[in-house]
């Protein structure tokens, strides 16, 4: 298989984007770019960006575009993404961010935008039991914990419940998703870029559905994109 793909994964918080994006990243040998993970790393390192982003994140609100767009554009400008592509997780989240992304990616654009569809009832259940690695962002749950204690299998970091996985912040994020991110689904459908993939059931079955959808649309390019 020739590696490479340019993908966006949309879906409510708790739809399984994080887990599935890691799998897509391994399958197609592409960087997994998760804006939430990048922001949490900045908060942990106490950089200026992190200090600025923190209060929005704790409240379950969107970090302002001035802060975010430069971070994403710098990441997409690196050699690995230019040569092999990327899977974007948690970005874009608004129509304005999608328009900014179009400009960053001109002229090639993305291969496919996947909407990972899961009912609100299921995501609420998943979010309540979700646990994440503070260092690398790997996802676990109360029913699928790391092998030893709450220590990450991938990097040895501490696995915790996210500070914004409280009931109030979850509700706020789901409301925001409906208002600001759901319109992106219609936008990418109109542009002929969207595939809806069911996100319920075992993780392996979801990955299979995703790979099938991506393979139907992917344009592998040895040597990168224009
Ligand atoms: P996530 O891990 O994707 O749920 O993101 C965690 C938090 O980071 C969100 O609740 C936002 O505060 C912030 N965040 C992540 N991605 C974005 C984005 N594309 N635009 C604005 N804020 C974001």
């Amino acid at each position: 298989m020739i590696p490479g793909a340019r993908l966006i994964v949309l879906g409510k918080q708790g739809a399984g984007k994080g887990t599935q994006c890691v799998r897509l990243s391994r399958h197609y040998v592409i960087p997994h770019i998760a804006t939430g993970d990048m922001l949490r790393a900045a908060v942990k390192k106490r950089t200026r960006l992190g200090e600025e982003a923190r209060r929005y994140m704790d409240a379950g609100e969107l970090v302002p575009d001035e802060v975010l767009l430069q971070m994403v554009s710098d990441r997409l400008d690196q050699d690995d993404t230019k040569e092999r592509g990327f899977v974007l997780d948690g970005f874009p989240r608004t129509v304005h961010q999608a328009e900014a992304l179009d400009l960053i990616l001109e002229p090639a654009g993305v291969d496919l935008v996947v909407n990972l569809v899961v009912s609100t009832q299921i995501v609420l259940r998943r979010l309540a039991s979700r646990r994440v690695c503070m260092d690398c962002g790997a996802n676990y749950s109360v029913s699928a914990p790391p092998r030893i204690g709450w220590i990450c299998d991938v990097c040895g970091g501490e696995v915790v419940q996210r500070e914004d996985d409280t009931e109030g912040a979850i509700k706020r994020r789901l409301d925001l998703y409906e208002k600001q991110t759901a319109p992106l689904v219609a936008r990418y459908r109109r542009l002929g870029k969207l595939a809806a993939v069911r996100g319920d059931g075992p993780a392996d079955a979801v990955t299979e559905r995703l790979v099938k959808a991506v393979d139907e649309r992917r344009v592998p390019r040895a040597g990168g994109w224009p």
Side-chain angles (χ1 to χ4, degrees), residues 35-36 39-40 57 61-63 68 90-91 93 97 162:
T35 42
L39 290 168
R40 276 185 290 278
M57 296 171 76
E61 283 176 18
L62 293 187
V63 172
L68 201 87
F91 183 92
R93 258 180 159 89
Q97 289 181 2
R162 270 171 50 168

Side-chain angles (χ1 to χ4, degrees), residues 21-76:
C21 284
V22 168
R23 289 163 169 236
L24 288 173
S25 137
R26 290 196 186 130
H27 186 87
Y28 294 107
V29 202
I30 50 180
H32 170 204
I33 301 180
T35 42
D37 289 350
M38 291 166 85
L39 290 168
R40 276 185 290 278
V43 168
K44 202 174 163 213
K45 277 199 211 137
R46 295 175 166 268
T47 63
R48 233 183 97 205
L49 183 147
E51 294 292 309
E52 176 131 14
R54 177 180 208 135
R55 54 202 166 104
Y56 296 97
M57 296 171 76
D58 284 350
E61 283 176 18
L62 293 187
V63 172
D65 283 350
E66 305 89 82
V67 180
L68 201 87
L69 289 176
Q70 189 60 48
M71 179 183 90
V72 173
S73 149
D74 289 348
R75 181 64 189 88
L76 288 173

Side-chain angles (χ1 to χ4, degrees), residues 4-23:
R6 297 178 123 202
L7 308 173
I8 295 174
V9 177
L10 299 177
K12 288 180 196 132
Q13 289 72 16
K17 290 194 300 290
T19 303
Q20 295 299 332
C21 284
V22 168
R23 289 163 169 236

Side-chain angles (χ1 to χ4, degrees), residues 13 119-129 170-171 174:
Q13 289 72 16
S119 73
T120 301
Q121 204 188 355
I122 294 181
V123 303
L124 285 174
R125 204 183 320 134
R126 284 187 185 166
L127 287 171
S129 82
I170 288 171
K171 186 168 177 312
L174 287 174

